Amino acid sequence: MSNLWDLSGIQPQNKIVLEGETIPALFWNGVKTRGPNVWMRQKEFGIWRSWSWNQTGDAVREIAHGLMAIGFEARETASILSNTTIEWVLCDLAVLSAGGVSNGIYPTDAAEQVQYLCADSSTTVLFVENDEQLDKALEVREHLPQLRKIIVEDMDGLRELNDPQVISLAKLRELGRAHLQQHPGMLEARVAACKPDELAILVYTSGTTGRPKGAMHSHKGLVYTVRGYNTLIARSESDECMCFLPLCHIAERMGGEYFSLYTGAKLNFVENPETVPENVREIAPTVFTAVPRVWEKFYSGVMITLKEAGKLQQAAYGWAIGVGQQVADLVMAGQPVPSGLRMQFHVARALVLNNVRKLIGIHKARFLVTGAAPISPELVRWYLALGVPMLEVWGMTETCGASTGVPAERMKPGSIGPAASYNEVKLDPLTSEILVRGPNVFMGYLNLPEKTAETIDADGWLHTGDVGVVDEEGFFRITDRMKDIIITAGGKNITPSELENELKFSPYVTDAVVIGDKKPYLTVIIMIDQENVEKYAQDNDVPFSNYASLTKAPEVQALIQTEIDRVNKKFARVEQIKKFFLLDTQLSAEDEELTPTMKLKRKLVQTKYEPQITAMYS
């Protein structure tokens, strides 16, 4: 297998590559040892600007001293309301270096949510990205008596603002430079006083039901876990990574910012969420971590491009991907690849598959990592057929990110892999719920001791809410959420996520929620892929005036029915979907139906669209 894929650097690294027992200690040791090396890049006015470790250290030092200049004390909380930018990282590391607690807020959150999160976390300083985010803070600040200062990163459109509670990040850094002159050793003293067992960050769960809960993570837990990541899938200073998922989510905070801080891998920030496909091709990451929705989007783009290609190109792709899939099937079965097929695969890569990888931007990737939501095994197989191993990891906010991971040497699509070496994972003998125990498990929920006691039992096992199975090799597979398993009126137990993943493999389906609990048959609510369905409509002269009319067009309804028919063939009759409903509203992260990571909230969708669901059973 190693002759077919470059697995160098994937092998686990058990040695400590950076000293330090707190996040700020790690960071400042990184600045000391990697000084002039590039750590981060961000595109500004069409040009990629590099940040060395020294430059990053200078900015973090100024911001941290600025915080101390405005009275920010150790163990106080500062929140960051911003998209994923270098400034997010600078502010986060400055807060931690000043001995504070850092909390992230999704930039898509409404003013009311910002108020709740700031109040619950006792935020005293709030960093906001721009005028749009500042408006939210100003709208609710009268309800936040603990909030002392609001710091704005980008002052465009705010030059005339005169508000004593609001200052720019540039002004804070100016205050920091003056404070540094007067108190030259104060930051070092704060960093040294920071204890491993102390609270470092809050990560609020997206909360599909009820209010978000603030998961507390200590410095000790973060450092332990980030070192553990290197035993799961190693990175090095030669790696190029992309940073584009929300930094207030545990996946990018740990797998992006802190893991790169530890290993020295370069972090490249995309311009905005819409430019991800373009930026991937520019950056050509060697390691690429994303959620299934991103991988589905790339696949859809290739399929749509292929439909527009000539017959010869389509035939060449069909042959090449067929060869790749034969190789992938043998690799996944743990069987050797015959020399003849191996030679065909090299030819297929040279003539076709490498071009597909370049089209996506993964032509330099040693491996891809997927997590945060279930992914179709067929999609993993497709990327493997292109010649890029896709490794699935599983974890949650409460486990500080990944707890299990598929090893590169033994890929099993559909599996989340065995337990990572740094924690224990087992199934509850009665319920088959997946349980996790280890130093990576969080400290508990802020202000919610009862919820913490419900989640972590007396023996230290975290109850994840995911139901699974484990095979003889110790590989776990999630069958569903405990609360999501469907029992039909006929008594049949059905795992909706399996059907939903198959549907999302379609280039025309972005998300799906299967319905059927206590019902005579299964139905599904579908969110279409706007871009691909619009293109289909234009190519086939289907008239539509807006998004709603697009979903109601008979030809689009027939298109989705074809995709459902394809999926139904893979399941027994009682597991097949009989009817469907297309959401006729174009949803974004601001809508209540979606989590910040763009997943449909099952319970909310079922409640909100109850009339449409009832109609499918009438």
Side-chain angles (χ1 to χ4, degrees):
M1 178 176 165
S2 58
N3 293 336
L4 295 173
W5 287 278
D6 177 15
L7 301 183
S8 60
I10 301 181
Q11 305 307 321
Q13 296 290 322
N14 291 303
K15 65 178 183 181
I16 291 176
V17 298
L18 193 61
E19 297 292 337
E21 299 308 316
T22 65
I23 292 296
L26 276 185
F27 170 66
W28 290 106
N29 283 336
V31 172
K32 184 179 178 181
T33 57
R34 299 170 181 151
N37 298 351
V38 172
W39 182 30
M40 300 187 288
R41 295 191 196 94
Q42 187 162 279
K43 203 171 186 181
E44 296 173 6
F45 306 110
I47 298 170
W48 288 94
R49 183 197 167 187
S50 296
W51 286 70
S52 70
W53 282 85
N54 282 334
Q55 288 171 312
T56 306
D58 290 342
V60 170
R61 185 177 288 106
E62 290 176 3
I63 297 169
H65 271 279
L67 286 169
M68 292 186 285
I70 61 173
F72 185 75
E73 297 289 343
R75 300 180 188 84
E76 285 191 330
T77 300
S79 291
I80 306 169
L81 173 58
S82 168
N83 281 289
T84 298
T85 61
I86 279 180
E87 287 73 22
W88 208 111
V89 173
L90 300 178
C91 295
D92 180 49
L93 294 173
V95 170
L96 295 173
S97 294
V101 177
S102 180
N103 172 50
I105 301 176
Y106 286 101
T108 52
D109 280 354
E112 182 187 1
Q113 293 165 301
V114 172
Q115 177 188 329
Y116 169 75
L117 295 171
C118 286
D120 190 63
S121 61
S122 302
T123 291
T124 61
V125 174
L126 176 62
F127 291 91
V128 299
E129 182 179 6
N130 49 27
D131 56 346
E132 178 191 349
Q133 305 299 347
L134 176 62
D135 286 344
K136 298 175 187 176
L138 296 180
E139 187 180 328
V140 299
R141 65 174 167 178
E142 63 182 19
H143 305 293
L144 298 170
Q146 288 180 285
L147 182 62
R148 297 195 301 268
K149 281 288 181 186
I150 302 170
I151 298 156
V152 187
E153 295 172 17
D154 181 357
M155 290 293 287
D156 279 357
L158 297 169
R159 299 298 174 192
E160 304 303 315
L161 180 70
N162 185 15
D163 188 314
Q165 195 178 13
V166 181
I167 63 169
S168 69
L169 183 60
K171 178 64 176 175
L172 185 77
R173 290 181 65 172
E174 186 183 316
L175 293 174
R177 288 191 289 274
H179 188 270
L180 174 60
Q181 292 291 322
Q182 298 163 356
H183 308 277
M186 193 167 173
L187 180 61
E188 288 73 14
R190 287 273 184 109
V191 171
C194 187
K195 298 291 186 287
D197 288 326
E198 289 180 341
L199 175 62
I201 67 171
L202 292 169
V203 181
Y204 278 84
T205 60
S206 53
T208 52
T209 56
R211 291 283 200 181
K213 300 185 292 291
M216 300 185 289
H217 287 285
S218 67
H219 287 280
K220 182 179 178 181
L222 296 175
V223 172
Y224 173 84
T225 308
V226 88
R227 284 183 174 143
Y229 277 16
N230 227 25
T231 68
L232 193 62
I233 304 168
R235 288 186 194 166
S236 71
E237 291 185 35
S238 63
D239 274 316
E240 297 280 354
C241 306
M242 255 178 67
C243 196
F244 68 101
L245 298 171
L247 274 164
C248 44
H249 190 279
I250 197 70
E252 195 69 270
R253 191 76 157 280
M254 285 297 296
E257 180 187 354
Y258 295 157
F259 194 21
S260 289
L261 187 161
Y262 177 64
T263 60
K266 297 173 191 69
L267 273 182
N268 297 277
F269 290 74
V270 302
E271 293 167 87
N272 59 65
E274 285 71 44
T275 62
V276 168
E278 175 192 335
N279 293 153
V280 176
R281 289 190 286 270
E282 290 180 271
I283 295 164
T286 58
V287 177
F288 192 0
T289 301
V291 296
R293 188 154 181 178
V294 172
W295 303 125
E296 291 156 6
K297 195 79 174 172
F298 289 154
Y299 169 78
S300 298
V302 171
M303 292 301 103
I304 297 300
T305 302
L306 191 63
K307 286 187 177 180
E308 297 175 340
K311 297 289 185 188
L312 184 61
Q313 289 172 305
Q314 290 178 352
Y317 170 83
W319 169 77
I321 202 71
V323 170
Q325 285 172 340
Q326 288 181 60
V327 171
D329 289 343
L330 288 170
V331 168
M332 289 185 296
Q335 297 176 6
V337 179
S339 57
L341 181 58
R342 188 182 289 261
M343 184 63 68
Q344 285 186 64
F345 184 58
H346 285 302
V347 174
R349 281 185 61 167
L351 296 180
V352 179
L353 301 180
N354 286 349
N355 291 331
V356 177
R357 288 164 60 174
K358 282 180 183 175
L359 178 67
I360 299 171
I362 56 172
H363 50 291
K364 292 184 180 178
R366 296 199 317 277
F367 59 94
L368 310 173
V369 181
T370 183
I375 190 169
S376 164
E378 283 301 306
L379 195 58
V380 176
R381 180 173 176 253
W382 183 76
Y383 281 99
L384 190 53
L386 291 182
V388 195
M390 177 175 275
L391 311 177
E392 187 164 2
V393 297
W394 168 87
M396 53 200 300
T397 300
E398 291 83 349
T399 62
C400 209
S403 276
T404 72
V406 174
E409 301 78 18
R410 185 73 181 95
M411 282 174 271
K412 286 188 181 184
S415 161
I416 57 171
S421 61
Y422 49 86
N423 63 192
E424 301 172 81
V425 182
K426 72 173 185 178
L427 299 181
D428 185 291
L430 297 176
T431 64
S432 294
E433 181 182 12
I434 297 176
L435 310 179
V436 179
R437 184 168 67 179
N440 55 313
V441 170
F442 76 142
M443 300 165 73
Y445 296 116
L446 181 70
N447 305 325
L448 296 170
E450 325 80 34
K451 286 286 182 187
T452 301
E454 287 174 20
T455 307
I456 304 175
D457 65 27
D459 294 322
W461 288 99
L462 172 76
H463 290 247
T464 67
D466 280 330
V467 178
V469 293
V470 61
D471 66 17
E472 65 285 348
E473 291 183 273
F475 281 63
F476 289 85
R477 183 168 66 85
I478 293 175
T479 53
D480 222 313
R481 293 289 294 170
M482 288 188 74
K483 298 173 183 175
D484 291 345
I485 293 173
I486 288 173
I487 304 175
T488 65
K492 174 67 177 175
N493 280 35
I494 290 169
T495 301
S497 61
E498 291 183 10
L499 285 151
E500 290 160 359
N501 285 338
E502 289 290 345
L503 285 166
K504 288 188 285 185
F505 192 54
S506 162
Y508 303 113
V509 175
T510 291
D511 210 345
V513 172
V514 172
I515 312 292
D517 198 46
K518 302 181 181 66
K519 306 285 188 186
Y521 52 85
L522 298 184
T523 60
V524 66
I525 294 174
I526 285 177
M527 183 162 67
I528 62 171
D529 185 297
Q530 182 194 4
E531 186 181 341
N532 291 343
V533 174
E534 274 187 1
K535 189 167 191 325
Y536 172 86
Q538 290 161 357
D539 292 345
N540 291 275
D541 298 321
V542 177
F544 67 96
S545 57
N546 54 29
Y547 186 84
S549 68
L550 180 69
T551 62
K552 290 178 172 61
E555 295 89 345
V556 171
Q557 294 275 327
L559 172 70
I560 300 303
Q561 183 62 62
T562 301
E563 296 301 304
I564 290 172
D565 291 343
R566 172 186 61 80
V567 171
N568 278 341
K569 289 177 184 175
K570 299 185 177 184
F571 293 89
R573 185 178 294 275
V574 293
E575 297 174 311
Q576 292 181 357
I577 296 163
K578 306 299 182 189
K579 294 183 181 180
F580 69 93
F581 163 69
L582 301 186
L583 291 175
D584 59 7
T585 305
Q586 191 177 350
L587 300 176
S588 68
E590 282 86 356
D591 292 288
E592 62 177 352
E593 292 97 320
L594 290 177
T595 68
T597 49
M598 304 300 285
K599 292 180 284 190
L600 281 170
K601 297 178 181 178
R602 184 181 302 277
K603 295 289 189 291
L604 195 148
V605 164
Q606 287 181 248
T607 303
K608 187 165 184 174
Y609 297 98
E610 189 175 357
Q612 291 89 339
I613 293 171
T614 301
M616 289 192 286
Y617 290 98
S618 61

